[in-house]
Amino acid sequence: MGGSKSSQGEDFYREPESFRVEPRDHFPGASGVLFEQAMAQTRMAVCLCDPKQPDMPIVFANRAFREVTGYEEHEIVGRNCRFLQGPGTDQRELDKIRRALKTEDVVLVELLNYRKDGSTFWNALHLGPIYKPDGELMYFFGSQWDVSEVRAARADEQNARVMARELSHRMKNMFAVISGIVNITGRVRGIPKEAAEINGRIQALGRAYETTLDEASSGSIEIGPAIRAILAPYDADASRLAFVGNGLRVHFATVSVVGLVLHELAANATKFGAWSIDNGRVELDWSGSGKDGSKNLIVRWREFGGPSITASPQAGGTGTQIVDRMLRHGGGTIERRWNEDGLEATIVIPA
Ligand code: FNR
């Protein structure tokens, strides 16, 4: 490159040895110091091929091209780019190139290419024509981008999605089987009401876990979608429950405690609290707080417009016991305040 370098360019710019492309007079059209510097320094591999010469040889390839392919300059210039191909190169992608070259169109393909040492890389090749001001075709321009890692990440992601779907399917099955067992046992033992109560808890747990499957591998989950899923069945027309949460992420293990606690609060609200009458509603917010960088999950449940409460209800139902025990076990707390028009509960779950 740089055969027709202007005298002005010569004055203030000395081309580094490693950037020089020989033979200089093979690249007379694209002079200009800025262009040369940009081509030499860009990390994007670039080459130009001359369609007027037999077999459209490369007349210029920048340093990034040499780095990505592993070839020296003298092994590149003068050859057709197909020397980068091998048995794994997809013929259908090559057909796209052939068509584009014939019609002088721009094309983007992804090809398996081979480096000098025989190793392969996925080449996202973008090529197109370059014309002289009078409209005559002068070169074809090609830029090569090694997308091997991008493709691998894409494949991993796809794989993870398939796994998550499968896991979700199995988990739903498992919860359905457990429900079935509980129901049948309840019926056989003559305690269908108790069985239904247990089932409610199991289903709430199932819903909570369901939302976390995509993210579980990262160790932390966004708690908002889990909270929404746990409570969705209690608020069929989505008008009696207001969420004031943010995109808080918490440890994965938190989800089972949150699932059971919220289920109990919702079941109580339905039986005795704000959701037992027409205009009652619940507001729920959650946030993270932390001492020493740790992040506790704080969930606040507030009922409004419920039946008026004159005295604190007797504690000690099964649901309450489950909640208290689970929280205690994990070092968490629940504080219940019986306001006049409903319960206000603040739950703290350690990170
Ligand atoms: C190419 N070609 C190409 N092929 C490849 O495998 N890796 C590459 O990086 C490039 N780069 C490239 C740049 C430019 C500017 C052109 C014009 C072409 C494609 C290759 O040279 C050739 O066109 C195709 O192999 C299809 O033609 P053949 O092999 O049937 O002649």
Side-chain angles (χ1 to χ4, degrees):
M1 179 161 84
S4 61
K5 204 149 50 151
S6 67
S7 56
Q8 182 203 12
E10 214 69 80
D11 289 339
F12 67 88
Y13 170 66
R14 211 141 46 83
E15 196 176 40
E17 199 60 36
S18 58
F19 295 171
R20 206 163 284 158
V21 177
E22 299 291 346
R24 289 169 159 261
D25 58 359
H26 275 202
F27 189 56
S31 62
V33 172
L34 289 178
F35 176 83
E36 289 177 15
Q37 287 195 31
M39 279 297 153
Q41 288 176 27
T42 178
R43 290 172 63 194
M44 186 183 14
V46 170
C47 72
L48 290 174
C49 299
D50 186 351
K52 290 191 288 300
Q53 293 189 48
D55 204 29
M56 217 184 289
I58 299 170
V59 292
F60 164 71
N62 70 349
R63 183 165 60 171
F65 185 100
R66 304 198 290 274
E67 280 171 4
V68 80
T69 63
Y71 285 95
E72 301 291 329
E73 195 175 304
H74 68 273
E75 298 169 302
I76 298 170
V77 173
R79 297 171 80 181
N80 183 288
C81 278
R82 80 173 73 80
F83 74 95
L84 296 173
Q85 297 160 15
T89 310
D90 188 340
Q91 286 300 318
R92 283 166 305 185
E93 295 294 282
L94 295 181
D95 281 340
K96 286 187 204 164
I97 297 180
R98 290 177 191 121
R99 271 199 300 277
L101 293 179
K102 207 185 265 175
T103 54
E104 299 179 13
D105 271 327
V106 172
V107 71
L108 179 64
V109 290
E110 258 181 49
L111 292 167
L112 189 69
N113 270 178
Y114 294 71
R115 297 190 188 88
K116 186 178 177 184
D117 65 6
S119 62
T120 56
F121 67 99
W122 281 98
N123 181 356
L125 170 66
H126 181 180
L127 58 82
I130 294 178
Y131 298 102
K132 279 186 184 165
D134 66 5
E136 186 192 336
L137 177 66
M138 192 160 57
Y139 297 110
F140 276 102
F141 165 94
S143 72
Q144 289 81 3
W145 181 34
D146 181 351
V147 290
S148 310
E149 282 177 16
V150 178
R151 280 182 71 108
R154 235 188 274 154
D156 279 354
E157 215 174 276
Q158 234 162 9
N159 201 20
R161 262 202 299 274
V162 171
M163 293 285 286
R165 253 202 312 273
E166 176 62 23
L167 196 61
S168 155
H169 184 67
R170 289 185 189 193
M171 209 187 72
K172 276 185 190 148
N173 268 348
M174 199 179 73
F175 275 95
V177 170
I178 296 172
S179 274
I181 293 171
V182 172
N183 276 340
I184 291 168
T185 311
R187 223 178 306 138
V188 171
R189 295 278 169 93
I191 45 169
K193 245 182 76 192
E194 285 82 349
E197 200 182 309
I198 294 170
N199 247 337
R201 293 180 186 122
I202 293 170
Q203 297 304 327
L205 269 184
R207 288 193 299 279
Y209 274 106
E210 173 72 23
T211 61
T212 66
L213 287 178
D214 277 351
E215 310 178 280
S217 60
S218 72
S220 77
I221 53 145
E222 203 187 319
I223 196 67
I227 289 179
R228 287 181 164 82
I230 295 159
L231 294 173
Y234 301 97
D235 186 30
D237 60 0
S239 65
R240 306 182 71 197
L241 175 61
F243 295 106
V244 197
N246 50 25
L248 181 70
R249 297 189 75 82
V250 295
H251 192 269
F252 175 65
T254 310
V255 77
S256 44
V257 184
V258 174
L260 281 176
V261 172
L262 290 183
H263 167 73
E264 295 308 332
L265 291 171
N268 272 329
T270 309
K271 272 190 251 167
F272 316 111
W275 286 342
S276 67
I277 59 175
D278 274 352
N279 294 325
R281 60 194 175 79
V282 173
E283 226 177 81
L284 189 69
D285 65 73
W286 55 92
S287 57
S289 86
K291 281 189 229 131
D292 322 324
S294 68
K295 210 195 255 171
N296 293 337
L297 171 64
I298 301 172
V299 180
R300 203 145 60 106
W301 169 281
R302 277 183 297 170
E303 296 182 29
F304 299 95
S308 76
I309 296 171
T310 47
S312 297
Q314 289 288 307
T318 324
T320 311
Q321 283 184 32
I322 290 176
V323 165
D324 289 357
R325 214 177 276 182
M326 274 202 76
L327 280 168
R328 217 172 22 234
H329 183 72
T333 56
I334 180 165
E335 208 181 282
R336 298 177 179 86
R337 195 130 53 92
W338 304 96
N339 300 328
E340 204 176 308
D341 61 347
L343 168 69
E344 180 178 341
T346 305
I347 302 123
V348 179
I349 303 167

